[in-house]
């Protein structure tokens, strides 16, 4: 009844869609038959390059989930967020970038880019103070580079300089 987010598997054989506010279902694209696979996820779904993992916000958006798309089972939960707004795997599969919309308290907070090493399970330091706006994306030309758009960086007047984005190497 309420389809919010959809994505195809990298091989285009399966369509995943958030069908309720916290449930994702899957369909075979060749037959349009619904698969018996369901899992809890609320928000944008992103695949790693090989199609072996999906990253998605948890049902409460206060965590990021790494899900096995074949089984629908969560293989890792990354807690500690206020509101997961977007996610992106890097092409090597070593990093997951997460945009977290932190609550603004005493002028501090807003959108923050957080990068996780999937090899160590720890956050990569240096990205917490980036005032970014979703979506975040990775590009690859021999190495992983994060492209972000800054939240409050647009020029107010014609001819005024603005800084609308940046590239970072995790």
């Amino acid at each position: 009844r309420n389809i919010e987010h959809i994505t195809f598997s990298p091989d285009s054989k399966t369509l995943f869609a958030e069908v309720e506010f916290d449930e994702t279902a899957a369909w075979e694209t060749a037959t349009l038959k619904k698969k018996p696979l369901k899992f809890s996820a609320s928000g944008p779904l992103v695949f790693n390059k090989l199609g072996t993992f999906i990253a998605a916000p948890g049902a409460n958006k206060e965590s990021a989930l790494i899900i096995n798309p074949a089984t629908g089972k969560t293989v890792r939960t990354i807690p500690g967020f206020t509101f997961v707004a977007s996610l992106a795997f890097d092409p090597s599969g070593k990093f997951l970038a997460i945009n977290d919309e932190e609550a603004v308290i005493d002028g501090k907070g807003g959108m923050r880019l957080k990068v996780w090493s999937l090899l160590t399970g720890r956050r990569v330091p240096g990205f917490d103070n980036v005032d970014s706006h979703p979506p975040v994306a990775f590009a690859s030309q021999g190495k992983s580079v994060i492209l972000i758009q800054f939240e409050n960086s647009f020029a107010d007047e014609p001819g005024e300089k603005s800084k609308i984005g940046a590239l970072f190497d995790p």
Side-chain angles (χ1 to χ4, degrees):
R1 286 180 264 164
N2 185 20
I3 295 176
E4 289 290 324
H5 301 279
I6 61 172
T7 191
F8 285 97
S9 60
D11 64 7
S12 298
K13 292 182 180 180
T14 307
L15 172 69
F16 291 84
E18 180 186 355
V19 292
E20 296 295 333
F21 292 111
D22 62 352
E23 184 177 273
T24 297
W27 290 262
E28 292 177 16
T29 55
T31 63
L32 299 180
K33 288 185 179 180
K34 193 170 184 181
K35 292 184 169 191
L37 177 71
K38 287 186 180 179
F39 53 88
S40 292
S42 177
L45 307 168
V46 295
F47 274 89
N48 67 344
K49 185 178 178 179
L50 299 176
T52 53
F53 295 109
I54 295 173
N60 61 7
K61 298 209 186 261
E62 294 176 355
S63 63
L65 306 176
I66 308 294
I67 299 164
N68 179 329
T71 65
K73 302 261 188 240
T74 299
V75 295
R76 180 180 285 174
T77 300
I78 304 170
F81 299 99
T82 303
F83 185 89
V84 175
S86 69
L87 308 100
F89 282 103
D90 81 306
S92 74
K94 295 177 184 175
F95 299 102
L96 178 66
I98 302 168
N99 257 316
D100 183 22
E101 188 174 338
E102 293 180 343
V104 178
I105 300 170
D106 296 330
K108 294 183 179 181
M111 197 61 74
R112 295 289 183 252
L113 176 66
K114 297 176 181 180
V115 179
W116 289 84
S117 167
L118 297 173
L119 301 175
T120 66
R122 295 183 181 182
R123 203 160 67 199
V124 176
F127 294 96
D128 289 347
N129 295 321
V130 176
D131 185 20
S132 66
H133 183 74
V136 62
F138 278 93
S140 177
Q141 292 181 350
K143 64 179 180 176
S144 295
V145 177
I146 303 170
L147 172 63
I148 68 158
Q149 173 186 327
F150 289 114
E151 176 117 347
N152 299 313
S153 59
F154 298 102
D156 292 329
E157 301 292 328
E160 184 181 356
K161 293 193 182 234
S162 64
K163 185 176 173 185
I164 61 171
L167 296 173
F168 292 94
D169 182 348

